[in-house]
Amino acid sequence: MLRLNWCVINDETAGRIPCVFPALKGTPVESGNRKLIRPSFNEFKEKSDPPPVRKPVATPQKRQIPPDQTNAENFYYVKQMQSKTPMVITLKDGEVLKGVIEWYDRSCLKLNRDGEPNLLLYKSNIKYMHKGEDV
């Protein structure tokens, strides 16, 4: 036969909880006052050795997002315009144009040519460009 007894725990939050003990013939079961012995954190801290001193490790910083524009293209055009460098421009259809870049904007280049009409070229139609052979 099992007998339901109340166990009292010395914890203010726990209170009384039911416990099941085997019934001893005629002997009342007493729950002992058991106290949890736990050292305070300060005592533990004082007893332990201090941790070895480590050199601070440089934490890698988050990589920054690269800028949308580097302005390298603009720098190149300005340099070629100021020095009036003869340029050779090859279009996507294979046509080769020679001249000096007079001005540019976001989508176009104006190419001055000797003995031929000046051209306004869309950058999207340019396959590649390089300095002319006269340089």
Side-chain angles (χ1 to χ4, degrees):
M1 175 175 149
L2 294 176
R3 193 168 110 191
L4 183 64
N5 290 322
W6 291 96
C7 297
V8 179
I9 298 176
N10 289 335
D11 188 359
E12 296 168 3
T13 59
R16 293 172 52 122
I17 58 172
C19 297
V20 178
F21 294 106
L24 301 175
K25 295 181 182 178
T27 310
V29 176
E30 293 190 26
S31 60
N33 289 334
R34 296 188 181 191
K35 185 176 182 182
L36 175 62
I37 300 172
R38 136 178 84 167
S40 69
F41 184 69
N42 291 334
E43 291 175 13
F44 177 73
K45 195 173 182 182
E46 290 171 0
K47 291 179 184 178
S48 68
D49 294 331
V53 178
R54 295 185 201 173
K55 293 181 182 178
V57 178
T59 57
Q61 293 181 355
K62 217 175 197 182
R63 287 182 90 181
Q64 292 181 347
I65 298 172
D68 292 337
Q69 292 184 354
T70 61
N71 298 319
E73 181 182 18
N74 298 338
F75 178 76
Y76 182 77
Y77 289 143
V78 169
K79 183 179 176 185
Q80 303 314 322
M81 287 170 26
Q82 288 175 347
S83 63
K84 297 191 179 191
T85 306
M87 300 294 293
V88 177
I89 299 174
T90 304
L91 302 178
K92 287 185 178 179
D93 63 357
E95 186 176 353
V96 178
L97 305 170
K98 296 181 182 181
V100 176
I101 298 173
E102 184 179 339
W103 64 263
Y104 71 97
D105 66 6
R106 186 185 314 158
S107 60
C108 297
L109 291 175
K110 182 177 179 189
L111 189 66
N112 283 346
R113 302 188 298 171
D114 290 334
E116 298 180 47
N118 298 335
L119 295 174
L120 186 65
L121 303 170
Y122 283 105
K123 289 181 182 178
S124 60
N125 289 332
I126 296 174
K127 187 175 185 179
Y128 59 87
M129 65 172 39
H130 58 88
K131 292 180 182 179
E133 300 162 358
D134 299 342
V135 177

